Amino acid sequence: MSFSLLSDYDIHLFKSGKHYKLYEKLGSHVVENDGQKGTYFAVWAPNAEKIAVIGDFNGWNKTSHELNPRWDQSGIWETFIPDIGNGQVYKYFIKSNTGEELEKADPFALMWEKPPKTASIIWDTFYEWSDKNWMDIRKDKNSLDSAYSVYEVHLGSWKRDPADNDRRLSYREIARDLVPYVKEMGFTHVELMPIMHHPYEPSWGYQITGYFAASSIFGNPQDLMFLIEELHKNDIGVILDWVPSHFPGDANGLFRFDGTALYEHENPHEGYHPDWKSYIFNYGRFEVRSFLISNALFWLDRFHVDGLRVDAVASMLYRDYSRNEGEWIPNIHGGRENLEVISLLKEINEEVYASYPGTQTIAEESTAFPGVSRPTYSGGLGFGMKWMMGWMNDTLAYFEKDSAFRKFHQKDITFSTVYAFTENFMLPLSHDEVVYGKGSLLDKMPGDDWQKFANLRLLYTYMFTHPGAKLLFMGGEFGQKAEWDFKNSLDWHELDNPLNKGMTELIKGLNNIYKTEKSLTLNQFSHTAFQWIDTTDEENSVLFYKRKTETEEVYVVLNMTPVPRKSYQLGVDNAGTYEEILNSDNGLYGGSGVGNGSFKAKKAPYHGLEHSVIIDLPPLAGIIFKRK
């Protein structure tokens, strides 16, 4: 075959694990060859004996359109087929050198058929973007010193067709409602649970077969680009969940792609994931590394996304993850760390930040692995941020306790600041906390209905004033009563209840303060921006701290019990008039309305500070106040 998109240099990069734009070369591409329009196909299958493109255009005939193996030992097969283009459905028929015959979708396909159908579709990612304003300023909006308040969304269940709950809205329909809603609520970013093509909806997108394809359940790639563009036009960043940790064993997917373990390891002790019954990428294989790095960069390049939240990093870093003695293979030094993964993650992060400055990578990593969000030049993995799973576990365990017992657990809620500055932490209240019988966030809170809502408002006030970026899963912002169900829309009718409506008003207020108060964002990952003032009032379960810059500060006091505390003394730095800038007991939020407005500091030393104020602490509430 004379026509090829691959140069000798491409092949060199691919075979050395350094090809970062494989999606421009492999897969199906509509091109012109000698004045004739058609489609070029290229696929990596080194252990194939024969490969053919089959599809509607040739009646799925396994002999009519065979691919030619390249002469350079790359394992890549290619062909040009005239007169076919976008919209054509196809697969690869692969006869393995093991004798096995397979029908596989294209690993680099830009679009797939809607499940349960499993074929690839010839498509492109051409789009006339009009989000230049955002792309020009996103390095400021998306930096570690800016407000980072993330709304986590599962597109299939955020909202469904009100007339037919079984009908999922398209990317474009979702854009119409989601964009103004996120803007009104004040979130700075949206994180989409995996929207790469996945055949099994109950996996929520975490079992991906089409790594380069936007899920066709909601439309085509350009429809997703429209949604992202609309968010950008409203100054909302977009983070995608990305899953390089494992892939499912679907017969038409990456699994044993050419009849052998190609993308995965042959040995199940390395290549099979016991928790998810899926398959683990062979991170040491150069061609697989090219595939994964290219995939990460593809979404930043073609879809203008502003960040990747990398799923299940802990499962990648350790060879013995979820494995018993004798079920795992040590690294070359006899240890449990996956050295190939460590080098791959460093390389991905270095390339993301070099090629797409102004973006972020965020690790979901639950162990004490050191330096996850530290630069690679200082020995770290190079992520921008890491999920603070310890904070999430300790905080929910504390808030689930009856308030009468919280005085015995004051140290549990203050412990997070012992390690809060070892990484650039994001505080996650994610979908994982509201599934599998765990109940909703509201449901976890103790007490009667009023106390549940008050406790949740108090938790959010604590979360938004604790150092670090924030993430809240959809439904949490209005206190949905039921656990998340991916098969149904959120319970939007609950907003008719004043307590639910009040919760949304509180989130708006917290997002606004987080975005406007420099002391809550500047150096938010550094110990210099936080100071405990008093953690000793265990009897009343009151906590008092401040967030600060060199020139300004805000004070935060939390009353973790339903008992109002009248005339409570608090030490402050300076004389002058102070005012509440947020009180989670405000009637607007569904609270009882115990507030202080503005109040004066007296020269009366307290808490080791020169001045003090005396205020009323509302029940189960947090107050944020500052000097006028």
Side-chain angles (χ1 to χ4, degrees):
M1 175 197 150
S2 58
F3 182 83
S4 179
L5 290 179
L6 290 152
S7 67
D8 291 347
Y9 187 52
D10 284 319
I11 299 301
H12 164 71
L13 291 173
F14 175 54
K15 287 164 76 172
S16 56
K18 298 290 181 186
H19 203 307
Y20 299 158
K21 290 200 166 183
L22 266 186
Y23 51 90
E24 293 179 347
K25 308 292 180 175
L26 297 188
S28 57
H29 300 270
V30 177
V31 293
E32 207 169 275
N33 177 25
D34 285 341
Q36 188 164 29
K37 227 174 167 194
T39 299
Y40 164 79
F41 295 87
V43 63
W44 177 54
N47 302 300
E49 192 178 285
K50 175 186 144 181
I51 304 181
V53 180
I54 55 176
D56 288 342
F57 67 94
N58 65 9
W60 301 87
N61 182 331
K62 296 170 184 173
T63 58
S64 65
H65 291 88
E66 291 191 15
L67 280 74
N68 308 298
R70 286 180 64 90
W71 61 92
D72 49 22
Q73 280 74 57
S74 62
I76 292 172
W77 299 60
E78 54 190 353
T79 192
F80 172 80
I81 303 176
D83 302 325
I84 66 167
N86 279 359
Q88 291 281 0
V89 174
Y90 72 101
K91 279 188 178 179
Y92 294 117
F93 167 72
I94 300 175
K95 184 173 185 192
S96 174
N97 58 20
T98 64
E100 198 177 352
E101 295 190 349
L102 306 157
E103 289 187 9
K104 291 286 188 178
D106 188 342
F108 285 86
L110 299 172
M111 194 168 165
W112 288 48
E113 290 183 297
K114 275 189 194 177
K117 292 183 174 179
T118 56
S120 304
I121 300 172
I122 299 170
W123 207 261
D124 61 48
T125 52
F126 178 75
Y127 190 73
E128 293 272 13
W129 286 92
S130 58
D131 63 349
K132 185 177 184 308
N133 286 352
W134 167 264
M135 298 299 274
D136 287 346
I137 62 163
R138 78 169 173 186
K139 66 180 186 300
D140 301 321
K141 297 275 190 180
N142 208 30
S143 78
L144 295 178
D145 267 337
S146 58
Y148 221 96
S149 177
V150 182
Y151 185 55
E152 187 191 21
V153 175
H154 177 262
L155 283 183
S157 58
W158 182 72
K159 193 175 272 190
R160 296 218 171 169
D161 184 342
D164 176 12
N165 186 61
D166 288 338
R167 188 180 84 78
R168 291 160 203 79
L169 302 178
S170 70
Y171 293 120
R172 287 176 183 268
E173 289 174 311
I174 290 166
R176 205 169 49 216
D177 289 350
L178 180 67
V179 176
Y181 179 75
V182 173
K183 188 171 187 178
E184 183 194 355
M185 293 302 298
F187 290 100
T188 62
H189 292 72
V190 165
E191 180 180 314
L192 300 178
M193 288 169 67
I195 46 78
M196 298 80 186
H197 177 82
H198 53 279
Y200 185 55
E201 207 179 359
S203 79
W204 312 329
Y206 292 99
Q207 299 265 7
I208 295 170
T209 49
Y211 272 80
F212 290 85
S215 172
S216 53
I217 294 171
F218 309 105
N220 65 35
Q222 285 75 11
D223 296 330
L224 173 58
M225 291 171 186
F226 173 80
L227 169 59
I228 292 168
E229 180 178 78
E230 287 300 302
L231 287 160
H232 283 173
K233 284 179 175 176
N234 287 275
D235 286 352
I236 297 161
V238 179
I239 301 161
L240 297 187
D241 266 13
W242 184 54
V243 190
S245 45
H246 63 121
F247 59 86
D250 291 52
N252 56 280
L254 295 177
F255 174 64
R256 297 192 78 81
F257 186 78
D258 61 1
T260 68
L262 189 61
Y263 287 89
E264 70 274 34
H265 293 269
E266 186 68 59
N267 188 327
H269 288 346
E270 292 186 285
Y272 182 71
H273 210 302
D275 286 0
W276 302 313
K277 298 179 175 43
S278 55
Y279 296 86
I280 298 166
F281 284 102
N282 183 345
Y283 302 107
R285 187 165 194 165
F286 289 139
E287 297 90 342
V288 173
R289 292 170 79 95
S290 286
F291 173 86
L292 287 170
I293 300 172
S294 291
N295 187 242
L297 298 176
F298 168 79
W299 295 99
L300 300 167
D301 175 15
R302 298 290 173 86
F303 285 81
H304 284 201
V305 302
D306 308 295
L308 298 171
R309 175 267 194 187
V310 184
D311 183 61
V313 172
S315 77
M316 298 169 67
L317 287 172
Y318 295 104
R319 288 172 161 268
D320 63 346
Y321 185 89
S322 269
R323 294 179 193 276
N324 299 317
E325 196 66 43
E327 292 178 354
W328 59 282
I329 298 171
N331 64 33
I332 52 169
H333 306 301
R336 54 196 280 259
E337 294 82 9
N338 193 320
L339 303 178
E340 293 83 5
V341 163
I342 291 168
S343 73
L344 176 69
L345 291 174
K346 288 180 176 184
E347 191 171 341
I348 288 171
N349 284 321
E350 284 172 359
E351 196 52 40
V352 164
Y353 286 107
S355 296
Y356 300 96
T359 59
Q360 293 289 351
T361 58
I362 303 157
E364 188 225 354
E365 202 284 313
S366 51
T367 73
F369 191 94
V372 172
S373 61
R374 293 294 176 253
T376 56
Y377 60 72
S378 64
L381 288 182
F383 285 93
M385 287 179 253
K386 166 178 164 164
W387 275 21
M388 196 175 185
M389 309 300 272
W391 173 87
M392 178 274 297
N393 281 311
D394 292 348
T395 299
L396 291 179
Y398 176 90
F399 272 90
E400 284 170 6
K401 290 180 171 62
D402 186 288
S403 55
F405 300 111
R406 289 178 179 169
K407 61 185 174 187
F408 306 116
H409 297 277
Q410 188 105 319
K411 286 185 175 62
D412 298 350
I413 198 79
T414 59
F415 177 66
S416 63
T417 53
V418 172
Y419 64 96
F421 310 108
T422 57
E423 299 275 4
N424 298 336
F425 278 121
M426 176 178 280
L427 314 181
L429 292 175
S430 76
H431 66 274
D432 278 329
E433 313 326 315
V434 292
V435 287
Y436 298 141
K438 294 179 193 167
S440 65
L441 291 179
L442 184 77
D443 200 38
K444 295 180 201 295
M445 300 296 118
D448 59 22
D449 210 32
W450 188 91
Q451 286 195 17
K452 280 180 182 294
F453 277 94
N455 266 305
L456 190 55
R457 292 193 303 270
L458 174 57
L459 164 53
Y460 289 153
T461 307
Y462 165 61
M463 173 188 188
F464 273 80
T465 53
H466 187 288
K470 330 293 174 194
L471 178 135
L472 183 59
F473 182 58
M474 62 181 201
E477 80 281 9
F478 63 82
Q480 176 165 303
K481 287 189 171 70
E483 182 176 276
W484 172 53
D485 175 9
F486 74 92
K487 297 186 294 293
N488 291 297
S489 170
L490 293 181
D491 294 331
W492 293 105
H493 61 271
E494 289 185 356
L495 285 172
D496 295 339
N497 177 344
L499 286 172
N500 295 91
K501 186 81 179 93
M503 192 68 72
T504 65
E505 294 301 327
L506 173 78
I507 294 293
K508 287 180 202 173
L510 287 169
N511 270 326
N512 182 52
I513 282 173
Y514 179 44
K515 287 193 288 194
T516 54
E517 290 296 333
K518 279 276 180 285
S519 47
L520 292 177
T521 53
L522 211 57
N523 302 320
Q524 62 186 326
F525 305 108
S526 162
H527 67 91
T528 60
F530 177 86
Q531 182 187 330
W532 285 114
I533 300 176
D534 185 33
T535 62
T536 61
D537 190 0
E538 295 175 2
E539 188 56 39
N540 292 318
S541 298
V542 173
L543 289 171
F544 184 38
Y545 53 94
K546 73 174 177 177
R547 296 291 307 280
K548 57 189 177 135
T549 67
E550 285 183 1
T551 56
E552 53 188 273
E553 67 268 322
V554 297
Y555 296 85
V556 183
V557 58
L558 308 173
N559 178 9
M560 302 294 198
T561 71
V563 181
R565 310 281 172 198
K566 293 276 185 191
S567 304
Y568 195 91
Q569 191 170 6
L570 299 164
V572 294
D573 289 286
N574 298 295
T577 302
Y578 287 75
E579 63 179 339
E580 289 183 345
I581 55 173
L582 187 136
N583 179 335
S584 71
D585 192 51
N586 191 318
L588 173 68
Y589 308 144
S592 61
V594 174
N596 301 274
S598 61
F599 40 91
K600 279 194 162 48
K602 295 203 171 80
K603 178 87 172 153
Y606 204 67
H607 288 147
L609 299 171
E610 292 294 298
H611 301 79
S612 58
V613 296
I614 293 178
I615 64 172
D616 293 338
L617 302 187
L620 290 173
I623 291 174
I624 309 170
F625 66 91
K626 65 183 285 195
R627 196 160 72 112
K628 270 189 177 177

